[in-house]
């Protein structure tokens, strides 16, 4: 078993730290947020993830997981800090660079640095150069191993997917990939694909750009259908009977910190070579405004119930949420809103108050389903015969075509 230091205890780092501890590693979790350090040391998760609290309590009780505000020497150092984009859509690697600067003094020959954060192509090499400059006594790579192992987990299924997902492990050298793979072999049952770091960076970004482009196509069909008087969901369902067609379902936009961000990372490396990625981003980024326009046009100043604020079903994560953007947009237009989000306790900035779903729809002239939370399925009967804009596709199954 190894000593592991996980830098950044968020959606990726905390479950990873807890899982590593559950497999017998001695884990130090490090975060610059003192509240997170305190809660982890008390055996509590600061984010909702199935089974995470249980794993944390067990790890803390067994003395295998501890949190601190600074990293400490370890065999493996995992970096899981945020890598957002700037307002002009450039990768912001300042937090990754700060994390690298914080581990540089504690590096020792033989240790392995793994970047789990999502990064643009070339960022692993840049991090190695930064470490080499800070530690001229160490060959980076050479004396230390450096790899990028992008994370693919889905919030809500993180612990399961950490174990079961396939891994792409990109080393700066084959020896770096092999060393990093040893750590994943200790807790992951999915296939492990060893490659180089530029490939791993490109693969991860391609996955999310692929999803963004395909969602944009579905959203564009929804925009076209609305203009041409065709139910796009029904059209997509019929088109998908073609044996080689599998169009995604449209929605209110693309949210979260991955699919809405990672395509920019890929395009940033060579913007003129990425017209499709830019077009998809534009379609998905303007979709919340298109949906808000449709709701406002239907409501004509009357009360509107908005069902859901999260960026995806069955969680309370509001990061980059198109549903939240729609709510804020409609609030700014002065529409009387009744907003429902069962997965959060307090209304976010820009939203006056949260309501119970049945209370919200009682006197609403228009009801907009913005997130396909399973809790809203219970409202099917209450929504029958009401004026519903089902942007999330929760309750309006496409009419079946008669099969012959
Ligand atoms: N959340 C996901 O489902 C997911 C999936 C795949 C990839 N990723 C990628 O993983 C990375 C981390 O994402 P996340 O969702 O866990 O982020 P997060 O915001 O939930 O957590 C990051 C944590 O890092 C801490 N931090 C920031 N700078 C630090 C530093 N210098 N030292 C120590 N701690 C520091 C923050 O306080 C925060 O608690 C990002 O690159 C993201 O794109 C996330």
């Amino acid at each position: 078993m190894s000593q592991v230091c996980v830098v950044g205890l968020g959606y990726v780092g905390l479950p990873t730290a807890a899982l590593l501890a559950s497999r017998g590693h001695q884990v130090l979790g490090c975060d610059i947020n003192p509240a997170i350090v305190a809660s982890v040391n008390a055996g509590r998760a600061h984010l909702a993830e199935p089974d995470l609290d249980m794993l944390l309590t067990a790890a803390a009780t067994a003395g295998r997981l501890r949190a601190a505000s600074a990293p400490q020497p370890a065999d493996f150092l995992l970096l899981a800090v945020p890598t957002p984009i700037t307002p002009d859509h450039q990768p912001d690697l300042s937090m990754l660079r700060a994390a690298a600067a914080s581990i540089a003094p504690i590096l020792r020959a033989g240790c392995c640095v793994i970047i789990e954060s999502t990064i643009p192509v070339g960022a692993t090499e840049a991090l190695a150069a930064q470490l080499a400059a800070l530690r001229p006594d160490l060959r980076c790579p050479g004396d230390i191993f450096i790899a990028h192992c992008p994370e693919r987990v889905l919030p809500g299924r993180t612990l399961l997917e950490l174990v079961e997902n396939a891994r792409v492990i990109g080393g700066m050298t084959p020896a770096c990939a092999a060393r990093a793979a040893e750590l994943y072999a200790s807790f992951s049952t999915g296939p492990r694909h060893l490659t180089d770091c530029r490939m791993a960076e490109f693969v991860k970004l391609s996955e999310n750009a692929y999803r963004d482009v395909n969602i944009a196509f579905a959203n564009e069909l929804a925009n076209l259908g609305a203009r041409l008087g065709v139910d796009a969901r029904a059209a997509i369902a019929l088109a998908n009977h073609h044996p080689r067609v599998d169009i995604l379902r449209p929605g209110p936009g693309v949210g979260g910190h991955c699919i809405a961000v990672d395509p920019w990372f890929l395009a940033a490396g060579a913007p003129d070579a990425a017209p499709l990625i830019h077009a998809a981003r534009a379609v998905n980024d303007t979709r919340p405004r298109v949906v808000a326009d449709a709701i406002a046009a239907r409501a004509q100043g009357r009360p509107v119930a908005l069902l859901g604020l999260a960026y995806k079903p069955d969680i309370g994560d509001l990061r980059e949420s198109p549903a939240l953007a729609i709510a804020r947009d409609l609030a700014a237009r002065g529409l009387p809103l009744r907003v429902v989000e069962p997965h959060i306790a307090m209304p976010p900035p820009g939203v006056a108050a949260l309501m119970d779903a049945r209370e919200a729809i009682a006197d609403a002239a228009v009801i907009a389903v913005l997130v396909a939370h399973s809790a809203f399925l219970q409202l099917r009967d209450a929504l029958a015969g009401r004026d519903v804009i089902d942007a999330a596709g929760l309750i309006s199954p496409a009419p079946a075509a008669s099969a012959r």
Side-chain angles (χ1 to χ4, degrees):
M1 290 301 139
S2 303
Q3 290 179 321
V4 185
C5 177
V6 179
V7 181
L9 295 176
Y11 286 87
V12 167
L14 184 57
T16 304
L19 190 61
L20 284 163
S22 78
R23 299 301 155 99
H25 297 290
Q26 200 62 43
V27 182
L28 177 88
C30 145
D31 203 290
I32 50 171
N33 182 336
I36 293 178
V37 171
S39 79
V40 173
N41 281 331
R44 281 193 318 271
H46 64 95
L47 42 91
E49 192 61 44
D51 298 332
L52 182 56
D53 262 321
M54 192 184 65
L55 217 54
L56 275 182
T57 311
T61 309
R64 282 202 290 268
L65 173 62
R66 204 164 55 74
S69 55
Q72 287 180 12
D75 305 314
F76 292 92
L77 295 116
L78 265 63
L79 306 184
V81 296
T83 47
I85 44 171
T86 61
D88 60 346
H89 303 132
Q90 295 304 308
D92 175 0
L93 300 184
S94 55
M95 284 182 266
L96 186 65
R97 283 194 289 269
S102 75
I103 61 166
I106 58 166
L107 293 178
R108 59 193 183 199
C111 73
C112 179
V113 177
I114 302 175
I115 307 173
E116 286 227 353
S117 301
T118 304
I119 46 175
V121 176
T124 307
E125 291 154 339
L127 182 124
Q130 181 189 352
L131 293 177
L134 292 168
R135 289 294 303 271
D137 55 316
L138 289 173
R139 285 174 301 135
C140 308
D143 293 325
I144 63 167
F145 301 98
I146 303 180
H148 173 45
C149 182
E151 196 46 78
R152 293 159 152 169
V153 289
L154 187 69
R157 288 173 49 86
T158 301
L159 284 168
L160 192 71
E161 294 206 357
L162 278 176
V163 173
E164 292 181 354
N165 283 358
R167 295 270 172 180
V168 175
I169 303 173
M172 282 199 68
T173 63
C176 291
R179 178 64 177 144
E182 287 172 26
L183 182 67
Y184 293 100
S186 71
F187 68 91
S188 143
T189 58
R192 290 178 287 281
H193 302 283
L194 275 57
T195 181
D196 64 75
C197 53
R198 286 182 87 85
M199 177 68 82
E201 291 159 348
F202 194 89
V203 167
K204 164 70 188 179
L205 301 177
S206 305
E207 291 164 1
N208 281 344
Y210 166 85
R211 291 180 48 73
D212 198 47
V213 166
N214 281 278
I215 294 167
F217 181 64
N219 283 340
E220 187 155 294
L221 292 181
N223 294 345
L224 282 165
R227 294 277 286 275
L228 302 176
V230 174
D231 179 344
R233 286 182 189 281
I236 289 169
L238 289 173
N240 283 347
H241 288 293
H242 184 295
R244 286 168 295 283
V245 171
D246 190 11
I247 304 170
L248 298 181
R249 291 182 307 165
V254 170
H257 47 284
C258 289
I259 298 180
V261 170
D262 298 356
W264 291 115
F265 279 26
L266 188 56
D272 56 316
L276 182 63
I277 289 173
H278 285 107
R281 282 283 70 238
V283 171
N284 288 334
D285 272 353
T286 49
R287 179 78 180 140
R289 190 172 42 74
V290 173
V291 173
D293 286 346
I295 296 169
R298 188 84 70 84
Q300 294 295 315
R302 296 171 300 159
V304 177
L306 298 179
L307 303 187
L309 287 180
Y311 84 82
K312 69 185 198 83
D314 298 334
I315 59 168
D317 195 335
L318 303 181
R319 291 183 288 179
E320 313 290 329
S321 169
L324 180 58
I326 292 167
R328 286 178 172 154
D329 182 342
L330 294 174
R333 298 184 202 202
L335 271 186
L337 300 179
R338 288 93 173 91
V339 182
V340 181
E341 179 41 80
H343 295 279
I344 58 174
M346 300 294 289
V351 173
L354 296 176
M355 295 176 83
D356 165 73
R358 288 184 189 277
E359 193 189 344
I361 63 177
D363 73 336
V366 175
I367 300 155
V369 185
L370 302 182
V371 187
H373 286 318
S374 12
F376 295 154
L377 284 169
Q378 296 163 356
L379 301 173
R380 271 176 192 267
D381 290 347
L383 295 179
R386 304 291 302 273
D387 190 353
V388 177
I389 295 181
D390 189 7
L394 173 82
I395 50 157
S396 39
S402 57
R404 283 194 280 166

